[in-house]
Amino acid sequence: MIEVQGLQKFYGNFQALKGLDFTINKGEILGLLGPNGAGKTTTMRILTGFLKPSRGNIKVADLNVIEHSLKIKEMIGYLPEAAPLYGEMLVYDYLAYVAEMRGLRGSDKARRIAEMVVLCGLKEVIYRAVHELSKGYKQRVGLAHAMMGDPEILVLDEPTSGLDPNQIVEIRELIKEIGRKKTVIFSTHILSEAEATCDRVVIINQGTIVADGPTDSLLHEFGAGVVVDIVLQHPDVALVIAKLSIVAGVEKIENTTDTESGLLSGASVQLAVFSSTDEDIRPALYRVIREQGWDLIDFHLRSESLENIFAQLTQEEC
Amino acid sequence: MNGALTIFKKELKGFFFSPIAYIVITTFLLLSGWFFFSTFFLYNQADLRTFFTQLPLIFSFIVPAVTMRLFSEEFNSGSFELLTTLPVSNSGIVVGKFLAALTFIALMLLPTLAYAFSVAMLGDLDLGPVFGGYCGALLLAGAYIGIGLLASSITRNQIIAFIVGMIFCFGLTIFNRMLFFVPEGLLAVFAYMGSTAHFQNIARGIIDTRDLIYFLSLIFLTLYGTSFVLQERK
């Protein structure tokens, strides 16, 4: 659906994008991740035709963004960061304006506006001026703007910024819902969001791609393997470590006891057990603990999150 | 062109949502009314000539005030990003905004028809120059709107857009009176470049293709330039 080929962008002497290559398939939800200034917004702006690439190219459905910009704009719905809408217009007038720009007229226009009002929860603010709205509502009007033309591709630049936690969940559900039929690209710096919503993530740092793949395979590829966190009550840390070390598959055990924490004061021992295999070592660990009769407080598999991978990939050069 | 029409409607409505429209109309009617009636009874002639004579000067201040926000405000608020990512070409955007401003100026001129009516009551008004005067006023407004749009497209600051637009409109207005600086060989070329002489020809009721070509080419060049500037902003 979308092919990004050797994309470069210069702002004067500053090179914001240093040759990006990736493809996005039809019906995929792609998360564009990266720290501030990584080039997420620039990539999206080139895709939507707001900026021209300095070198390289983007093809949408085999059409070049530079030559067929008008045709591609018809296929793309875009929500820029911070949704810069016309403040003096009423929400209804604004939606009507966007609907007309998308070529909707008469009953089609009225029906589509009504659908957007329901979908984005704009009923209470429909006759208010846009500049009076809270940031969350502005963001929702921006979403309605992006989805008005029922586009094939939805490009959302940080769609959940400024929303309250309930709205964030709603928007995520909405993105997933749309993603069943359409192609969605969205940028975020909230990693749990990408983890929860995307089929695939592309991580950009300083204008280059540092990771690209399905969410779970990235976790596998860059993750540190299986880690079990254990908290139990025993006065002798060394003994506990020694006993647990002999369990098959244990690579190393780290003592993570936080002596300053009130919760784990006294005889509590906190350990992180690293496994060298992909197999679950929890049954074997638990057997040892039960044999020794130690009082177990906490015992769980640490899930390797994108957070760790992200930090690992984007902070190396700093 | 669908997009241009939508932008035209949106911008025209936008003029009347902002207080600038009412301030501009009031200023225009005050200035033009005062210039016209302060001398009208002295001349003791039933025509609108003094009204149309002052028009280029008044327009060179009023028109840039109308056009200054059309692009600068979009750049400043960032809404230009939403506008250009909608399916509309740069020329569609420029034409839509141009027609909105031209319609606004036409609406602003509408109350001055009352001058024509009052003059017609007092004496025998020749309708030819009146008709020509209003046609010329629209052509002149079109050319100045083009200049104003071009000025607005180069900056995100409305005040700069206003001043730049005003300097060029005012320059064209007084150009014919500055010709004594020009060497004699180039006089014919330079004489053609001022706007006032062309406007006065049409306002006398003489429609000459040279004057029409002057205004239409000025409109085309400035709008094309604006569209080019938008393209190069990327």
Side-chain angles (χ1 to χ4, degrees):
Chain A
M1 192 76 189
I2 302 169
E3 278 176 71
V4 178
Q5 298 159 335
L7 195 66
Q8 295 191 28
K9 179 72 188 175
F10 289 87
Y11 294 114
N13 283 328
F14 175 70
Q15 189 172 10
L17 299 180
K18 296 167 186 166
L20 300 188
D21 289 280
F22 61 95
T23 55
I24 304 162
N25 302 319
K26 201 178 160 82
E28 203 168 39
I29 303 179
L30 181 94
L32 214 51
L33 265 64
N36 293 331
K40 294 169 296 197
T41 300
T42 305
T43 309
M44 290 183 154
R45 283 180 166 174
I46 294 172
L47 174 61
T48 54
F50 179 60
L51 292 175
K52 276 193 288 193
S54 304
R55 271 188 222 127
N57 198 1
I58 299 185
K59 276 185 179 174
V60 178
D62 287 327
L63 296 171
N64 189 318
V65 275
I66 302 166
E67 290 156 32
H68 299 91
S69 72
L70 220 52
K71 222 173 218 169
I72 288 169
K73 282 172 189 174
E74 278 172 19
M75 294 163 61
I76 294 181
Y78 176 42
L79 170 71
E81 207 174 347
L85 310 159
Y86 295 118
E88 74 279 10
M89 287 176 100
L90 301 181
V91 172
Y92 179 82
D93 287 342
Y94 187 76
L95 295 180
Y97 156 74
V98 178
E100 280 180 34
M101 288 296 268
R102 289 284 177 189
L104 298 168
R105 290 286 180 277
S107 62
D108 284 347
K109 181 174 109 181
R111 189 178 45 77
R112 190 66 187 152
I113 292 172
E115 277 173 20
M116 284 298 119
V117 168
V118 174
L119 197 63
C120 301
L122 294 169
K123 198 159 182 281
E124 303 93 75
V125 298
I126 192 82
Y127 292 117
R128 300 257 301 270
V130 171
H131 68 80
E132 291 174 0
L133 302 181
S134 67
K135 195 168 180 232
Y137 270 115
K138 274 185 195 160
Q139 197 75 7
R140 293 200 215 179
V141 177
L143 261 174
H145 168 109
M147 292 191 290
M148 185 61 80
D150 196 18
E152 278 300 301
I153 300 162
L154 211 52
V155 181
L156 310 170
D157 200 351
E158 302 197 358
T160 56
S161 76
L163 299 182
D164 67 41
N166 292 336
Q167 292 167 344
I168 289 179
V169 173
E170 276 172 38
I171 297 292
R172 273 187 211 163
E173 291 306 312
L174 196 62
I175 291 173
K176 274 190 186 172
E177 178 69 35
I178 298 161
R180 291 206 186 107
K181 283 171 254 159
K182 317 272 174 175
T183 310
V184 182
I185 304 160
F186 78 96
S187 74
T188 179
H189 51 251
I190 306 165
L191 300 153
S192 58
E193 187 166 286
E195 222 173 334
T197 329
C198 301
D199 301 320
R200 220 177 97 208
V201 290
V202 169
I203 302 178
I204 304 178
N205 189 33
Q206 295 177 358
T208 49
I209 293 177
V210 288
D212 173 6
T215 320
D216 35 348
S217 89
L218 274 189
L219 289 175
H220 195 77
E221 189 180 338
F222 295 98
V226 179
V227 182
V228 181
D229 285 312
I230 302 171
V231 180
L232 49 78
Q233 281 188 324
H234 195 274
D236 189 354
V237 183
L239 177 76
V240 175
I241 293 177
K243 288 278 183 192
L244 290 176
S245 302
I246 48 173
V247 174
V250 172
E251 195 185 353
K252 63 169 178 169
I253 297 177
E254 254 177 40
N255 185 357
T256 53
T257 308
D258 183 3
T259 46
E260 281 169 32
S261 162
L263 192 71
L264 299 172
S265 62
S268 289
V269 180
Q270 193 173 6
L271 301 169
V273 181
F274 292 83
S275 161
S276 52
T277 62
D278 279 345
E279 279 166 50
D280 197 349
I281 55 168
R282 281 178 297 176
L285 284 173
Y286 182 62
R287 244 173 271 132
V288 174
I289 294 165
R290 199 177 48 194
E291 276 165 23
Q292 299 295 326
W294 294 328
D295 291 335
L296 189 61
I297 293 172
D298 191 10
F299 186 78
H300 69 267
L301 193 65
R302 185 191 293 177
S303 58
E304 190 65 59
S305 67
L306 272 178
E307 228 96 348
N308 303 353
I309 298 171
F310 183 78
Q312 190 186 324
L313 290 171
T314 57
Q315 284 173 1
E316 274 166 4
E317 293 132 55
C318 299
Chain B
M1 277 304 101
N2 164 36
L5 190 71
T6 309
I7 289 172
F8 164 73
K9 280 200 291 189
K10 187 229 138 214
E11 290 295 344
L12 192 59
K13 249 190 191 174
F15 278 125
F16 292 97
F17 273 131
S18 76
I20 291 181
Y22 303 101
I23 296 169
V24 163
I25 291 178
T26 310
T27 312
F28 171 73
L29 291 177
L30 267 175
L31 281 177
S32 65
W34 183 74
F35 275 126
F36 178 52
F37 283 108
S38 62
T39 54
F40 175 69
F41 293 104
L42 296 177
Y43 283 116
N44 205 20
Q45 274 180 344
D47 61 24
L48 290 177
R49 186 179 296 171
T50 45
F51 167 64
F52 287 121
T53 310
Q54 300 302 333
L55 214 50
L57 198 62
I58 299 174
F59 269 7
S60 59
F61 293 93
I62 291 289
V63 171
V66 171
T67 55
M68 65 180 185
R69 54 173 277 278
L70 287 174
F71 283 108
S72 302
E73 197 180 35
E74 300 246 15
F75 297 150
N76 200 32
S77 73
S79 58
F80 190 67
E81 186 170 0
L82 280 173
L83 179 59
T84 44
T85 52
L86 285 167
V88 58
S89 60
N90 283 335
S91 51
I93 296 171
V94 174
V95 168
K97 287 185 186 262
F98 171 78
L99 290 178
L102 190 61
T103 310
F104 176 79
I105 298 287
L107 291 173
M108 183 180 83
L109 282 170
L110 212 56
T112 64
L113 286 175
Y115 305 167
F117 279 116
S118 17
V119 173
M121 300 281 228
L122 294 170
D124 190 17
L125 179 67
D126 183 1
L127 287 175
V130 175
F131 178 74
Y134 279 105
C135 286
L138 287 181
L139 284 169
L140 183 74
Y144 286 6
I145 288 167
I147 293 169
L149 276 179
L150 186 56
S152 186
S153 73
I154 56 169
T155 171
R156 50 192 296 159
N157 184 328
Q158 292 191 37
I159 296 166
I160 294 176
F162 172 71
I163 293 172
V164 171
M166 189 196 70
I167 287 170
F168 280 93
C169 291
F170 186 68
L172 280 184
T173 303
I174 59 164
F175 206 76
N176 293 102
R177 294 176 209 172
M178 293 291 162
L179 290 175
F180 52 84
F181 287 123
V182 175
E184 215 175 311
L186 294 168
L187 202 61
V189 180
F190 278 84
Y192 186 76
M193 282 165 66
S195 64
T196 308
H198 294 289
F199 170 69
Q200 300 304 353
N201 283 345
I202 299 174
R204 273 201 295 271
I206 309 158
I207 311 270
D208 187 335
T209 44
R210 270 180 306 180
D211 304 322
L212 287 181
I213 286 170
Y214 172 81
F215 284 116
L216 294 178
S217 55
L218 198 55
I219 292 171
F220 175 79
L221 281 176
T222 48
L223 296 192
Y224 184 81
T226 309
S227 180
F228 181 76
V229 170
L230 295 185
Q231 190 65 36
E232 288 308 299
R233 275 187 78 88
K234 298 182 177 185

